[in-house]
Amino acid sequence: MGRGKVQLKRIEDKISRQVTFSKRKGGLMKKANELAVLCDVEVALLIFSDRGRLYEFCSAESLEEILERYRIHVDEEAAVCRRAELEKNLPECTDLRTSANPLQMIQRHLDAQNIEQKNITELTELEKELDAILRQTRYRKTQLLMEAAKAVQEGEKQPRKEKTFMEEEVAEMSENLDNHYNRPLEPESNSNSNDPPLSPLQETLLHLF
Amino acid sequence: MGRGKVQLKRIEDKISRQVTFSKRKGGLMKKANELAVLCDVEVALLIFSDRGRLYEFCSAESLEEILERYRIHVDEEAAVCRRAELEKNLPECTDLRTSANPLQMIQRHLDAQNIEQKNITELTELEKELDAILRQTRYRKTQLLMEAAKAVQEGEKQPRKEKTFMEEEVAEMSENLDNHYNRPLEPESNSNSNDPPLSPLQETLLHLF
DNA sequence: TTTTCTATATATAAGAT
DNA sequence: TATCTTATATATAGAAA
């Protein structure tokens, strides 16, 4: 685009390189924004200029938000690999996410192995695994809370139905989370039976902490 | 661009939204790459699609590299603010980076204040400050090492000059780093005088650890 | 560094596969 | 979802401020 065609290689002339940088940076930011808005996706763009100045664009509230999401994504991918490795070396240590009781599983894993020098590597792997799960937990919890908050707000404005769509969704996500961790169930209810029964949404919120 | 003009708002039709996503994602990546190559700058691009799939582009070896650089940049900016705050509250605590001896400065700071509940906030500020400097230190060290490694490689292929350009640069950066931390000088040389004298590059490397 | 002015090079909307 | 085909909408190179 422009008077001349352009070779895909570093522009040697310093002046025109900087002019081009300024122009294209603007164009790229604009395009990034268009993609985010038109397609309703999350976009983050980081540019460090020659002299180390930072230019950034992000579609979300803050770049940190997207970077945290990125970290979680990477963790998840890494976890898949690690899990495959673990299972190869330790068949009895099945996937923590699907096992009946993660805590018991970890305990058993720790008991079964003499804690020797030799096992530090495996322990490190386990540590990473747990750290990744923890991050995901926090992230999903935040998501759930935001959904729930939204549901509460909207619920107040809407005529009461049996169950709002949002509540159903939140309840479903909560259920998934419970399965995910297979939290040992508390006695069904030890609350004072004089209290009024909780709404599905309230119960959901209760279970998040 | 295209048959029709486009409104900058979410495309409601799911099909065309996804088609547009696919096309524009490609276009954006291409532009990002062009900017990086033409202008010789660092670019990172993260896109999370509707269904949470991650698409990324980065001009450096790895995204982590750019993200670490971002973190350092943010730290630096935050540090500027914190320093301003600190100086307002504690005039005697001048900028750690320019002070004659950071270690003495910190020590004096700690001695001068009774360590009371009231000062925890200030200590936290100091901690953050130090953490930021530490990150920068590691980052600059890595940079220096890479430069040095490159210099060694290229030095072997080049005819011996008094001092290669790269060596000069590394030496200069090293000097800056020394000033930065104002490391108390070691006795000029306590090495065995039977050893052959070190090259400037070797000395530079020596000082990095 | 950013912007203005044009001629051109590119990107991409629509439509169809 | 990715690709091909056009007609159009945009981005931007070059020159200059």
Side-chain angles (χ1 to χ4, degrees):
Chain A
M1 346 169 166
R3 301 298 175 89
K5 202 165 178 175
V6 117
Q7 300 294 319
L8 190 54
K9 65 196 250 303
R10 181 190 145 101
I11 297 171
E12 290 304 336
D13 178 53
K14 190 178 169 184
I15 299 298
S16 66
R17 175 154 32 94
Q18 290 190 332
V19 172
T20 294
F21 174 68
S22 176
K23 286 178 174 178
R24 279 177 176 261
K25 170 168 59 60
L28 194 59
M29 296 271 193
K30 190 179 173 195
K31 290 256 178 210
N33 182 48
E34 287 178 358
L35 181 65
V37 174
L38 292 173
C39 304
D40 197 23
V41 296
E42 239 165 69
V43 178
L45 177 60
L46 287 175
I47 305 174
F48 282 100
S49 77
D50 258 359
R51 297 85 163 264
R53 257 183 69 163
L54 169 66
Y55 301 85
E56 58 176 277
F57 165 83
C58 89
S59 60
E61 274 304 307
S62 76
L63 229 179
E64 290 302 339
E65 205 175 311
I66 297 184
L67 295 188
E68 179 59 15
R69 192 171 171 186
Y70 170 73
R71 250 163 258 150
I72 286 160
H73 192 95
V74 170
D75 283 346
E76 175 113 24
E77 282 185 344
V80 171
C81 298
R82 277 201 301 279
R83 220 169 297 128
E85 276 305 309
L86 267 180
E87 281 170 23
K88 219 188 296 174
N89 301 331
L90 309 164
E92 79 277 15
C93 177
T94 58
D95 187 342
L96 293 176
R97 287 152 209 250
T98 59
S99 70
N101 186 326
L103 289 177
Q104 277 182 12
M105 189 60 68
I106 293 163
Q107 194 58 53
R108 196 184 334 140
H109 176 58
L110 291 177
D111 292 344
Q113 307 276 327
N114 296 324
I115 299 177
E116 295 167 12
Q117 193 77 15
K118 190 186 166 196
N119 283 325
I120 285 181
T121 303
E122 284 160 8
L123 288 174
T124 303
E125 293 304 293
L126 189 61
E127 182 195 349
K128 286 181 192 164
E129 168 86 3
L130 291 171
D131 185 58
I133 296 180
L134 180 59
R135 273 182 205 267
Q136 287 174 49
T137 307
R138 291 203 183 111
Y139 185 67
R140 296 192 67 173
K141 190 180 120 181
T142 302
Q143 283 185 320
L144 288 174
L145 279 176
M146 287 173 59
E147 296 285 347
K150 209 198 269 177
V152 170
Q153 275 194 318
E154 292 182 359
E156 285 171 352
K157 294 176 189 164
Q158 286 172 15
R160 291 239 167 235
K161 296 179 190 172
E162 270 293 307
K163 217 176 185 183
T164 69
F165 169 70
M166 194 60 86
E167 280 176 336
E168 277 183 51
E169 197 176 1
V170 171
E172 191 186 333
M173 289 176 81
S174 171
E175 207 173 306
N176 290 340
L177 199 64
D178 275 356
N179 289 342
H180 192 214
Y181 288 95
N182 208 306
R183 166 201 321 237
L185 287 176
E186 303 290 337
E188 194 50 51
S189 174
N190 52 9
S191 62
N192 186 326
S193 54
N194 291 334
D195 291 344
L198 298 176
S199 77
L201 180 57
Q202 284 174 314
E203 278 189 10
T204 296
L205 285 171
L206 205 64
H207 280 284
L208 288 179
F209 297 99
Chain B
M1 344 171 167
R3 301 297 176 88
K5 202 166 176 174
V6 120
Q7 300 294 318
L8 190 56
K9 66 196 248 304
R10 182 190 142 102
I11 297 170
E12 290 304 335
D13 179 52
K14 190 177 167 184
I15 300 298
S16 65
R17 176 154 30 96
Q18 290 189 332
V19 171
T20 295
F21 174 68
S22 176
K23 287 178 176 178
R24 279 178 176 262
K25 171 168 59 60
L28 194 59
M29 296 270 192
K30 191 180 172 193
K31 291 258 177 209
N33 182 48
E34 287 177 358
L35 180 64
V37 173
L38 291 174
C39 305
D40 196 23
V41 297
E42 237 164 71
V43 179
L45 177 61
L46 287 174
I47 305 173
F48 282 100
S49 77
D50 259 357
R51 296 82 161 270
R53 257 185 66 166
L54 169 65
Y55 300 85
E56 58 177 273
F57 165 82
C58 89
S59 59
E61 273 304 307
S62 77
L63 230 180
E64 289 302 339
E65 204 176 309
I66 297 183
L67 296 188
E68 178 59 16
R69 192 171 169 185
Y70 170 73
R71 250 163 258 147
I72 286 161
H73 192 96
V74 170
D75 283 346
E76 175 113 22
E77 282 184 344
V80 171
C81 299
R82 276 201 302 280
R83 220 169 298 128
E85 277 305 309
L86 268 181
E87 282 172 22
K88 219 188 296 174
N89 300 331
L90 308 165
E92 78 278 13
C93 178
T94 58
D95 187 342
L96 293 176
R97 287 154 210 249
T98 59
S99 70
N101 187 327
L103 290 178
Q104 277 182 11
M105 189 60 67
I106 293 162
Q107 194 57 54
R108 196 186 330 144
H109 176 59
L110 292 177
D111 291 345
Q113 308 276 328
N114 295 324
I115 300 177
E116 294 167 12
Q117 193 77 15
K118 190 187 166 196
N119 283 324
I120 285 181
T121 304
E122 286 160 7
L123 289 174
T124 304
E125 294 306 291
L126 190 60
E127 181 195 350
K128 287 180 191 163
E129 168 87 4
L130 291 171
D131 186 57
I133 297 181
L134 181 60
R135 274 182 205 266
Q136 288 174 46
T137 306
R138 291 203 182 111
Y139 185 66
R140 296 192 67 175
K141 190 179 120 181
T142 302
Q143 284 186 319
L144 288 175
L145 279 176
M146 287 172 60
E147 296 286 347
K150 210 198 268 177
V152 170
Q153 275 193 320
E154 293 181 358
E156 287 170 352
K157 294 176 191 163
Q158 286 174 15
R160 290 241 167 233
K161 297 179 190 171
E162 270 293 309
K163 218 176 184 183
T164 69
F165 169 71
M166 193 62 84
E167 279 176 336
E168 276 183 50
E169 197 176 2
V170 171
E172 191 186 334
M173 289 176 81
S174 172
E175 207 174 305
N176 289 339
L177 198 65
D178 274 355
N179 289 341
H180 194 212
Y181 288 95
N182 208 305
R183 166 201 321 234
L185 288 175
E186 302 289 336
E188 193 51 50
S189 175
N190 53 7
S191 63
N192 185 327
S193 54
N194 291 334
D195 291 343
L198 296 176
S199 78
L201 179 59
Q202 284 174 314
E203 277 188 11
T204 296
L205 286 171
L206 205 63
H207 279 285
L208 288 178
F209 296 99

